[in-house]
Amino acid sequence: MAMSGNRVLELRSMEGDGDRTRPGLVLDPLASMTNRQELTISGVVSGVGPLALALWPSNQNLSIGAMGDFRTRARLAPGENRLELELVDGLGRRMRRDFVVRMDDVPPRIL
């Protein structure tokens, strides 16, 4: 803030552009159905650091690479699996991505 006596001449924000931007979470394409018991989840995150990324419902903290990339495997149960990635930036702002993957490992019955 620049002042002349009691008069404010200029007022500047100390926030950068990144401070106003929500954290970003981009997932690589996922299949909505699989016959495998494990699912590979990958993508890229961005935001004001430090960033924290977790996979729910397992509450697994994921490692984030230097370029914001991540990759993990999630164990699937038979039937519908509801999963969520939650990204938290250094300012405490959250971004969530929910997705459902159905695991069906029962082979079709041939008559």
Side-chain angles (χ1 to χ4, degrees):
M1 177 181 335
M3 296 186 71
S4 174
N6 290 336
R7 188 172 153 211
V8 176
L9 299 176
E10 183 178 2
L11 182 63
R12 292 187 182 182
S13 170
M14 298 303 288
E15 293 183 50
D17 287 337
D19 295 343
R20 294 184 197 101
T21 305
R22 290 180 49 191
L25 173 55
V26 177
L27 285 174
D28 292 336
L30 288 169
S32 60
M33 183 176 276
T34 184
N35 62 354
R36 299 180 183 206
Q37 294 180 351
E38 278 193 342
L39 175 70
T40 299
I41 303 167
S42 60
V44 178
V45 297
S46 62
V48 176
L51 300 173
L53 183 63
L55 176 65
W56 297 88
S58 64
N59 193 22
Q60 175 188 2
N61 291 319
L62 307 181
S63 295
I64 301 171
M67 301 302 290
D69 56 307
F70 68 91
R71 181 180 205 85
T72 191
R73 292 179 184 259
R75 193 101 175 121
L76 299 176
E80 193 172 270
N81 292 266
R82 294 184 178 277
L83 303 168
E84 177 181 305
L85 284 170
E86 180 181 50
L87 175 64
V88 181
D89 73 4
L91 299 174
R93 294 176 297 198
R94 298 175 188 280
M95 166 66 72
R96 291 185 178 104
R97 292 282 184 253
D98 300 331
F99 49 99
V100 176
V101 178
R102 182 171 179 75
M103 196 274 277
D104 183 359
D105 63 349
V106 177
R109 195 171 138 194
I110 299 173
L111 299 173

